[in-house]
Amino acid sequence: MTRKIMATLTSNLNLRPQQYTVPKDYPPHGSVVEEIQGLIRVHKDGYVERPQVVPCVTASTMSPELNVTSRDMVIDSVTNIWARFYVPISQHKKMPLLVFFHGGGFCVGSAAWSCYHDFLARLSTKVGCVIMSVNYRLAPENPLPAPYDDGLKAIMWLHQQHNNKGSGTEWWTSKCNFSSVFLGGDSAGANIAYNVATRLCACDGAALTLRPMNLKGLILIQPFFGGEVRTDSEKGMAQSPGSALNLAASDSYWRLALPCGAKRDHPWCNPLVKLEELKLMRTLVCISEMDILKDRNLEFCDALVRAGKRVEYGVFRGVGHAFQILSKSQVAKSRTKEMMARVKSFMAL
């Protein structure tokens, strides 16, 4: 299946129709079978178009005032899994480590997207933590569970780097408190973090295998979950033309990401169908008031509480999905600071 790699993303990401520029020698690929306008177009023969919506930036693209060092590291050259690290320069003590997965409905996105690069650099400074931002394989070329497999591989690689002293990674490993590791992500990335965490928690020998590395918590920002039965916010939450997520786009992402024939009540989409059976680490959920996922996120938190899981959550007022990376409004900037403070508090416990 041919893949056209998306190179960029901008802070002006939206779902409005966008004109595609098709070269004269563009080969025919049959009819379009799935499309999220401006983001992804899938043809009948499997060819995938991902328009360039925002620039990818190098790790060295950094505002000096942030005082953060950033570099990219290869995790698996065969599957092209890599990670971008963010290390605060001013911190001299060992810091907690956050393994972060970017959003994009499993189908678009990159750890090199400029909006994620800026957000994670600032989060690293604000929280005082090392961040490992994982670039995983995308659907539909690599449907679920490929991103979960990549997440697990990233955790195993992380453990290996901790044990391999003198391997050229001291610039970040020497700054990490490996007994305080957190998994996190936003949107589809939060879904990945959750499913990686549940896999690790379900494995009785995982804690022993990962020692002395210790997974202390899970940070889910607007987690991308779904279900066959619509919630009130999915049915009634009015979305502006520039919204980062609407219901039609959400349904398209799930059709592209889930295994062939699977519906939205598959456990990878709807965690409530098997929540009672799961072991889970301490969890923070960040919810946006104007997000179509608001009610589903709240239901998820309520279900965790009823199942006896350790969970805390916050609802951020007046902002929508992915506001922390896409919106430049003063309200969004204020809520982003609040979110960062909440994450810092959670990681300090």
Side-chain angles (χ1 to χ4, degrees):
M1 193 175 286
T2 307
R3 176 179 174 186
K4 186 176 182 180
I5 300 176
M6 175 187 232
T8 59
L9 170 79
T10 70
S11 58
N12 294 320
L13 176 64
N14 61 64
L15 299 174
R16 288 176 288 185
Q18 210 174 68
Q19 185 66 42
Y20 292 85
T21 302
V22 182
K24 292 181 179 179
D25 60 348
Y26 185 80
H29 291 283
S31 59
V32 174
V33 294
E34 196 76 63
E35 180 176 11
I36 301 173
Q37 290 183 322
L39 290 173
I40 188 169
R41 182 188 261 179
V42 181
H43 293 257
K44 188 175 182 179
D45 69 350
Y47 184 81
V48 179
E49 293 178 76
R50 292 184 176 91
Q52 295 185 357
V53 249
V54 186
C56 284
V57 295
T58 63
S60 60
T61 305
M62 191 71 65
S63 299
E65 72 271 11
L66 291 179
N67 258 347
V68 173
T69 297
S70 180
R71 298 185 201 171
D72 295 338
M73 301 285 294
V74 175
I75 294 174
D76 188 332
S77 58
V78 175
T79 54
N80 195 32
I81 306 169
W82 55 274
R84 178 163 294 181
F85 283 83
Y86 300 87
V87 182
I89 298 171
S90 57
Q91 294 283 344
H92 300 295
K93 62 180 181 178
K94 287 187 180 291
M95 296 170 280
L97 170 65
L98 171 61
V99 181
F100 188 91
F101 300 93
H102 67 77
F106 306 105
C107 299
V108 298
S110 169
W113 276 7
S114 57
C115 56
Y116 278 112
H117 184 67
D118 180 69
F119 170 68
L120 293 177
R122 295 180 185 281
L123 182 65
S124 176
T125 298
K126 175 68 177 180
V127 174
C129 68
V130 176
I131 297 179
M132 172 184 172
S133 177
V134 180
N135 199 73
Y136 53 87
R137 290 172 293 170
L138 300 176
E141 301 94 327
N142 303 281
L144 297 172
Y148 306 155
D149 295 340
D150 294 349
L152 281 173
K153 183 172 287 187
I155 298 299
M156 295 302 115
W157 177 89
L158 184 64
H159 180 255
Q160 185 181 37
Q161 300 311 302
H162 172 55
N163 291 333
N164 291 346
K165 306 299 183 184
S167 60
T169 60
E170 294 87 352
W171 65 273
W172 65 270
T173 56
S174 64
K175 301 292 184 70
C176 290
N177 176 4
F178 283 93
S179 65
S180 184
V181 178
F182 294 79
L183 301 183
D186 70 331
S187 194
N191 179 299
I192 295 169
Y194 171 77
N195 279 283
V196 170
T198 56
R199 285 190 182 191
L200 289 169
C201 290
C203 180
D204 291 334
L208 289 173
T209 302
L210 292 175
R211 284 182 182 174
M213 201 168 82
N214 180 37
L215 299 177
K216 287 191 64 177
L218 185 59
I219 300 169
L220 308 180
I221 300 173
Q222 303 134 6
F224 185 45
F225 296 135
E228 288 298 316
V229 178
R230 304 295 194 190
T231 65
D232 287 343
S233 61
E234 287 171 341
K235 292 185 292 185
M237 185 75 72
Q239 297 294 304
S240 66
S243 174
L245 185 69
N246 59 36
L247 194 57
S250 175
D251 288 350
S252 290
Y253 283 135
W254 285 119
R255 284 193 294 269
L256 292 171
L258 285 170
C260 185
K263 301 297 184 182
R264 291 194 307 273
D265 277 335
H266 190 289
W268 294 338
C269 177
N270 186 357
L272 301 190
V273 299
K274 56 180 296 185
L275 195 65
E276 296 287 344
E277 309 167 20
L278 297 176
K279 297 178 182 178
L280 195 63
M281 61 190 74
R282 188 168 62 96
T283 302
L284 168 67
V285 184
C286 297
I287 303 168
S288 294
E289 182 186 32
M290 309 304 292
D291 189 355
I292 64 167
L293 299 178
K294 182 190 74 170
D295 288 347
R296 198 166 292 282
N297 288 174
L298 288 170
E299 288 177 359
F300 172 71
C301 293
D302 290 343
L304 286 178
V305 171
R306 290 196 303 272
K309 316 300 183 186
R310 296 169 295 168
V311 60
E312 59 180 88
Y313 68 89
V315 178
F316 296 86
R317 306 294 179 185
V319 286
H321 194 76
F323 73 88
Q324 72 282 354
I325 60 165
L326 297 179
S327 178
K328 301 299 183 183
S329 73
Q330 288 304 312
V331 172
K333 290 178 180 178
S334 176
R335 297 296 178 266
T336 299
K337 290 179 181 178
E338 292 173 15
M339 177 186 289
M340 289 183 176
R342 189 68 182 265
V343 171
K344 180 177 182 178
S345 176
F346 181 78
M347 293 181 68
L349 296 177

